[in-house]
Amino acid sequence: MASMDLHLDSKLGAAFLGNLAAAIFYGITCVQTFIYLKHGYARDKLTFRLLICFLWLLDTIHLAFVSHALYYYMISKYGILAALASPTWSILAQVYTTCISDLIARWIFGRRAWLMTGRSPLLAFCIAIPSLLTCATGIAFTSKAFIAQTFASFSSISYLLYISLGSGVVADAIIAATLCYTLKKNRTGFQKTDTIVNTLMIYTINTSLLTTLCSLACFTTYTIWPQEFTFIGIYFVLSKLYLNSLLATLNSRESLHSQAAGVVSDIPIGLSNISSTPTTSTSIVKHQYSPPDYSFRAPPVVINVNREIETRLENSGHERVAYAL
């Protein structure tokens, strides 16, 4: 049977699973976008909030394109095996939305790395070139694919897809390495500040690791099985990973800043403030110190100065990692 020779599992089956995974990630994207817009950071500008809404809109359009492509092959052209030889317009158009969405997400992550390194022009160049190359070659591949009209003819333009996926991996690696190196340098020696730094490093590594693995999987599957839809199913998920990673980073800032704000207490403590009728807090202090001679009065200014020094040192650490939040 011709249908057996086509191996529909690796064609429509792979695309269907990719669409299913994309739909799941889209649901997570909607929840994260709602959380950001409802509990978003007050210091985010309106333009940035609108940019996040635009990314969500692109993600919605992307899922609509992918769903239309599957409906075309599995419903409209059901039983017409020749239809699988040619890409429908929606399966190509979704590449445009992916390229634009990924470029914006990389720009946001890259800008954060650029600010943390003191606005280094060299770093900006190293991030911008592979990011723009990824977007440009992806768009060029799609535009030529519209002209090619068959999946078999993609082999003549496959170099564009290789460049797009490869340069995307390079851009993600540069951003992740820069952020991790800068955060590591900004360790202060204070436990809670360093905990925040470690959390940011984990977010950075996880973000780049997921997207890099997805790009490598798409790159590898297309190299091994260029005539199958396996790489397309994986590519469906790529833009969802970028946007979800970005939203997860944005939504985690409030908890991280709350953790940073709770590090320091500005309440002065001095033994000279202990009265004969102590409150609950002063009674605890009495229990802890149990001074044998109540005529002894420790100067509260000494304790306050020590606490102020610790506060300033730790706050300076917070300022150095502020750009990462």
Side-chain angles (χ1 to χ4, degrees), residues 49 105 120 144 200 304 312:
R49 290 170 177 259
S120 169
K144 288 181 177 293
L200 289 172
N304 290 340
R312 290 181 178 178

Side-chain angles (χ1 to χ4, degrees), residues 35 59 66 77 89 103 106 124 127 145 149 159 177 179 183 197 208 228 234 240 248 255 280 299:
I35 293 174
D59 203 47
V66 172
K77 298 297 181 179
W89 67 268
L103 178 64
R106 284 196 181 96
I127 294 176
Q149 295 184 349
Y159 67 94
L179 287 173
L183 288 169
V197 172
S208 299
E228 306 296 345
I234 298 174
K240 312 295 182 185
S255 61
T280 303

Side-chain angles (χ1 to χ4, degrees), residues 15-232:
F16 174 78
L17 292 177
N19 185 32
L20 183 62
I24 294 173
F25 278 110
Y26 175 73
I28 301 174
T29 299
C30 291
V31 173
Q32 293 210 80
T33 303
F34 174 78
I35 293 174
Y36 173 76
L37 294 177
K38 185 176 181 180
H39 305 288
Y41 234 40
R43 68 180 183 182
D44 285 347
K45 295 181 180 179
L46 177 62
T47 53
F48 187 80
R49 290 170 177 259
L50 292 176
L51 182 62
I52 297 300
C53 293
F54 176 68
L55 287 174
W56 174 82
L57 179 62
L58 282 179
D59 203 47
T60 304
I61 296 173
H62 174 268
L63 183 63
F65 283 159
V66 172
S67 299
H68 173 271
L70 268 294
Y71 187 90
Y72 173 82
Y73 288 117
M74 302 179 71
I75 306 298
S76 299
K77 298 297 181 179
Y78 175 77
I80 305 177
L81 300 179
L84 296 175
S86 301
T88 184
W89 67 268
S90 54
I91 204 171
L92 295 177
Q94 59 90 20
V95 180
Y96 288 131
T97 60
T98 297
C99 290
I100 297 173
S101 177
D102 291 354
L103 178 64
I104 295 174
R106 284 196 181 96
W107 173 76
I108 295 174
F109 284 122
R111 183 177 181 273
R112 182 174 61 172
W114 175 65
L115 290 173
M116 290 186 64
T117 55
R119 303 172 186 266
S120 169
L122 179 60
L123 178 65
F125 178 82
C126 292
I127 294 176
I129 293 301
S131 298
L132 291 174
L133 186 62
T134 300
C135 182
T137 51
I139 292 176
F141 174 84
T142 307
S143 301
K144 288 181 177 293
F146 272 109
I147 301 173
Q149 295 184 349
T150 61
F151 286 110
S153 58
F154 282 9
S155 58
S156 61
I157 57 175
S158 60
Y159 67 94
L160 292 172
L161 183 60
Y162 293 143
I163 294 174
S164 179
L165 295 173
S167 56
V169 172
V170 172
D172 294 339
I174 293 175
I175 294 173
T178 302
L179 287 173
C180 289
Y181 176 74
T182 307
L183 288 169
K184 186 177 181 180
K185 282 178 57 180
N186 286 331
R187 292 181 184 274
T188 62
F190 294 96
Q191 182 179 0
K192 290 190 176 181
T193 304
D194 288 348
T195 299
I196 297 174
V197 172
N198 293 336
T199 303
L200 289 172
M201 291 177 66
I202 292 173
Y203 284 161
T204 301
I205 293 172
N206 287 342
T207 298
S208 299
L209 181 62
L210 289 175
T211 54
T212 299
L213 289 178
C214 189
S215 297
L216 288 175
C218 189
F219 185 97
T220 303
T221 52
Y222 181 72
T223 303
I224 299 175
W225 305 295
Q227 303 300 326
E228 306 296 345
F229 285 8
T230 307
F231 76 98
I232 297 178

Side-chain angles (χ1 to χ4, degrees), residues 223-296:
T223 303
I224 299 175
W225 305 295
Q227 303 300 326
E228 306 296 345
F229 285 8
T230 307
F231 76 98
I232 297 178
I234 298 174
Y235 192 80
F236 287 164
V237 185
L238 187 58
S239 64
K240 312 295 182 185
L241 291 177
Y242 276 109
L243 184 54
N244 270 289
S245 299
L246 174 62
L247 289 171
T249 303
L250 294 175
N251 291 332
S252 66
R253 293 178 301 169
E254 185 176 355
S255 61
L256 290 174
H257 273 287
S258 299
Q259 182 180 353
V263 170
V264 180
S265 174
D266 295 329
I267 302 175
I269 299 177
L271 295 180
S272 59
N273 295 330
I274 300 177
S275 62
S276 57
T277 309
T279 61
T280 303
S281 60
T282 54
S283 64
I284 294 176
V285 174
K286 272 190 174 184
H287 176 73
Q288 291 176 345
Y289 291 95
S290 301
D293 183 7
Y294 285 97
S295 64
F296 172 74

